[in-house]
Amino acid sequence: AGRLVFPWYSTSGKVIGFGGRKLDERTHGVDQKYINSQDSEIYHKNAELYGLYQAKSAIVKTGKVYLVEGYIDVLAMNQAGIENVVASSGTAITEQQIKLLSRYCKNVTLVYDSDNAGLRATLRAIPMFLKSGIATKVLSLPDGEDPDSYIRKTASNNVQTNFENYEQNFINFMYSVLVKNILDPDLRSAGMKEILNTIAVIPSPITQESYLQECARVTGYSVEAIKDEMRRL
C-alpha cells in the first residue's frame, strides 16, 4: 500500500495497534499521509503515546520527557542518542495522554514542528500540562524545521547540546510569540492576558508565584501590575 508501518506498544510491551505512513510523495494511489488502526478494546489512539514502552526507562532515569509530533521524530531523536522521547502522533495532545505521561515524570519539553500548526498546538498544550502539575518547557527549532529534519542537518554529537540550548520556559516562549515585537497595544495586552491566564492554571501557589516573578522579569512589567491584572482576570 506504499506505507511504512509502525507498531504501537502498550506500556507492558504488547503490540496493540499499527500506524501507516506514506513513504513518498511520488507513491501512486496513496493520498492520505497517515492511517491508524481503528479504536478497539485494547487500543485508543487518544490515550496512547508512541514510543512510551521503549522510552519509559530513560524518562524515569532523566526525570523528563521530550514530546514530539510523529513516529519519524521519535526515531530520529533516538538515533541522535536522545531516548526519553515520545510522540502524540499528531499535534493535539489529550488529557488521557498527559495523565499517562504523569506516571513517569513531572517535566516535559514540547518539541513540535516550527510551523503554524505546531505553534498553535504548543500554545494549546502548555496550560494542559501545567494544570496537571507538570513543569513545561518548549524547544523552539529554527523556522521550517522539525526534529527529524533538524537532526539530519546537525552533527550527532551536537544534537543533545543544541536541544538543551534551545529549551526555554513557557513564559519566554509565550512572550516571544505573543508579545515581543508586537507594536499594537491591544495585541500586546491580549498576549499578556493569555500568559497570565496560563500561569493561573498552575495548581501550586509557590510555583505560580515563581512564574509571576519570572513573567515580570521577562516582560518588564512590575510584579504588582502583573498580580493585579491576574486577579482581575
Side-chain angles (χ1 to χ4, degrees):
R3 297 184 186 279
L4 184 62
V5 176
F6 297 84
W8 282 76
Y9 289 82
S10 69
T11 53
S12 61
K14 304 288 187 180
V15 175
I16 55 174
F18 299 93
R21 185 191 190 279
K22 182 178 178 180
L23 274 174
D24 194 296
E25 291 302 319
R26 296 165 295 180
T27 302
H28 297 296
V30 181
D31 297 321
Q32 191 174 337
K33 187 173 183 180
Y34 289 100
I35 289 181
N36 294 287
S37 293
Q38 293 184 349
D39 279 7
S40 67
E41 291 184 10
I42 61 170
Y43 172 73
H44 299 278
K45 183 174 180 291
N46 288 340
E48 303 291 342
L49 289 159
Y50 179 74
L52 180 58
Y53 171 67
Q54 292 87 349
K56 61 183 182 179
S57 295
I59 293 171
V60 172
K61 182 178 180 180
T62 59
K64 68 178 287 186
V65 61
Y66 290 99
L67 179 66
V68 297
E69 290 185 24
Y71 310 123
I72 302 295
D73 296 325
V74 172
L75 300 186
M77 289 181 68
N78 269 270
Q79 288 178 331
I82 303 171
E83 298 179 355
N84 53 326
V85 54
V86 298
S88 55
S89 187
T91 54
I93 191 74
T94 67
E95 291 182 358
Q96 298 101 306
Q97 290 169 324
I98 292 173
K99 185 177 180 179
L100 179 61
L101 261 187
S102 68
R103 299 179 193 171
Y104 299 96
C105 71
K106 294 295 182 183
N107 296 278
V108 64
T109 297
L110 306 175
V111 199
Y112 286 150
D113 297 356
S114 58
D115 54 16
N116 287 333
L119 176 62
R120 290 193 300 270
T122 302
L123 291 172
R124 175 182 173 275
I126 289 170
M128 294 177 69
F129 276 106
L130 292 174
K131 188 176 181 179
S132 298
I134 298 176
T136 307
K137 292 184 177 181
V138 179
L139 198 159
S140 298
L141 294 172
D143 287 347
E145 301 284 7
D146 58 36
D148 174 45
S149 65
Y150 176 77
I151 287 168
R152 282 190 280 111
K153 297 175 183 176
T154 307
S156 58
N157 58 334
N158 292 335
V159 170
Q160 192 146 7
T161 300
N162 288 0
F163 270 25
E164 290 171 357
N165 290 338
Y166 281 136
E167 279 189 30
Q168 54 187 326
N169 66 49
F170 75 91
I171 299 288
N172 280 281
F173 171 76
M174 295 184 73
Y175 177 73
S176 68
V177 171
L178 301 172
V179 181
K180 188 178 181 181
N181 299 325
I182 303 295
L183 300 179
D184 186 286
D186 291 331
L187 292 178
R188 287 178 63 87
S189 177
M192 283 299 302
K193 288 176 182 177
E194 186 166 344
I195 294 172
L196 294 179
N197 279 325
T198 299
I199 296 173
V201 306
I202 297 173
S204 165
I206 292 175
T207 305
Q208 193 177 100
E209 174 74 17
S210 296
Y211 276 115
L212 286 171
Q213 293 179 7
E214 174 69 1
C215 185
R217 185 191 70 79
V218 170
T219 64
Y221 292 102
S222 69
V223 174
E224 292 74 20
I226 286 173
K227 288 183 176 180
D228 286 345
E229 180 68 5
M230 195 169 84
R231 279 192 291 268
R232 190 184 68 80
L233 291 170

